[in-house]
Amino acid sequence: MCSSDLFCNFRKTAELTNEQTEVVEGIRNLVGYPIKNPSIYFKALTHRSTLEIHPEISKSNERLEFLGDSILGFIVGKYLFENFPNENEGYLTKYRSNLVNKIALYQAAQKMGLKKYLQYNKKYIKNYSDGLKTILADSVEALIAAIYFDAGMNIVENFVHKWIIRPHFQEEDHFVDSNYKGQLLEYSHSMKYPQPIYEVVKEEGPPHEKYYYIKVTAGSELSGEGKGKSKKIAEQSAAHDALNKSKRIDR
């Protein structure tokens, strides 16, 4: 029987149980837009493992996941193209991968509290190497497709910016595209320059919005400057600048 299941109990009459109404309200808060078609969100949050215990459910979220992956890639690609006008295709491709990989999507799902809305077979998790992390990451892509169908591109762009793009800019390591400090150290050794030294030149802003300005030097032969919302980001930025000046950057 399916009567006790949250999603498969959804009726075409659009009459929702109290539990289903609570889920729709939760999704509405995540999306920031009135939900017009609850069933597509229920589908987006139904993992294929559920079909084993509820065969009456005809489809899982896999098709929505497929489309959501493409929509997410487009939105992130567009953002990077517009905000990094001086970077080449290789750099943008690597940068995009930091935003759309399974780790980033799982972290977004965690921030949203998506697990409490997800339908999956707990037995399946025990036999799955990546377990719930992969299922949650995939559900974010499916949810993106559901938002696209229900509310359109503008709303789904807002959703991706709110839950995926902006949070990663605020976290110190996610937007470090490459280990530029490592590259700079290797280059300095190959050229027999002194080991790079990083120095905080100044700090600006209140504690919760502080920016660090850092200068890196390798003797008198090599130097670079950078800034960031953490010392790690600022050091990577300075190393990037030094490598760029030396025309030795690996992007």
Side-chain angles (χ1 to χ4, degrees), residues 59-71:
K59 294 179 181 178
S60 68
N61 62 1
E62 288 178 320
R63 282 175 56 84
L64 288 172
E65 177 193 335
F66 164 78
L67 181 60
D69 175 66
S70 297
I71 294 171

Side-chain angles (χ1 to χ4, degrees), residues 67-83:
L67 181 60
D69 175 66
S70 297
I71 294 171
L72 174 62
F74 169 75
I75 292 172
V76 171
K78 176 186 174 186
Y79 177 86
L80 296 176
F81 184 86
E82 292 174 346
N83 286 272

Side-chain angles (χ1 to χ4, degrees), residues 84-111:
F84 294 83
N86 298 320
E87 301 293 354
N88 63 26
E89 180 269 345
Y91 179 87
L92 297 178
T93 298
K94 289 182 180 180
Y95 216 150
R96 180 176 60 189
S97 71
N98 285 343
L99 282 162
V100 304
N101 63 31
K102 296 302 181 185
I103 295 174
L105 295 181
Y106 168 69
Q107 290 170 340
Q110 288 284 84
K111 291 183 179 74

